[in-house]
Amino acid sequence: MRVVLQRVTEASVIIGNNKVAEIGNGLLILLGIEEADSQNDIDWLTAKIAKLRIFGDEDGIMNCSIQDVGGDIIVVSQFTLHAATKKGNRPSYIKAARPDVAIPLYESFIKTMELNLGKKVQTGQFGADMKVTLVNNGPVTILIDSKIKE
């Protein structure tokens, strides 16, 4: 399981002409799920995200977590995070989980993230064509892969 975290001052998701998610200060999480992922990946990753100190304290030092600052989260599924680009010019998505595997894991990620934060997490829609807007704060962008825990 792979995520791209972006610390934002605002973010939103639009599907068609409908705004389905909108936050102020918080995190936009792009979530890529592969066939080999399980609840263990979700548990580790959501705990890591909830405690990750990437928000500024009173001195402007990144010393606070999303919980410390009371920030919000939007989770957007993004299978392209598992693109293999080694050969040729067309990315391969062979490692990305098929919907029958990915959807239950996506839903579990959201529920587990909500349990870790003690609050509702906003989302895009799995498999939809979404327009994601954000103002990256910092900029702070972090990649975390649950298969690389070093």
Side-chain angles (χ1 to χ4, degrees), residues 30-110:
L30 304 175
L31 173 66
I33 299 168
E34 65 180 343
E35 291 287 335
D37 289 333
S38 69
Q39 186 64 42
N40 288 338
D41 295 285
I42 292 168
D43 292 342
W44 180 83
L45 201 48
T46 56
K48 174 67 84 177
I49 292 167
K51 296 174 188 164
L52 201 61
R53 298 185 310 171
I54 59 172
F55 290 88
D57 62 16
E58 61 277 351
D59 296 322
I61 297 168
M62 285 197 280
N63 206 23
C64 296
S65 70
I66 186 82
Q67 294 173 309
D68 296 332
V69 299
D72 292 314
I73 290 179
I74 296 178
V75 176
V76 174
S77 64
Q78 190 169 0
F79 75 95
T80 60
L81 290 178
H82 287 288
T85 58
K86 186 175 182 179
K87 294 169 66 176
N89 294 317
R90 181 182 298 204
S92 169
Y93 303 104
I94 197 159
K95 282 190 173 184
R98 292 179 184 82
D100 61 317
V101 171
I103 291 171
L105 290 171
Y106 170 72
E107 291 171 351
S108 181
F109 181 92
I110 293 161

Side-chain angles (χ1 to χ4, degrees), residues 106-125:
Y106 170 72
E107 291 171 351
S108 181
F109 181 92
I110 293 161
K111 288 178 187 169
T112 307
M113 192 81 252
E114 289 175 338
L115 287 172
N116 278 311
L117 293 177
K119 67 191 292 186
K120 182 90 172 121
V121 168
Q122 295 190 50
T123 67
Q125 179 182 331

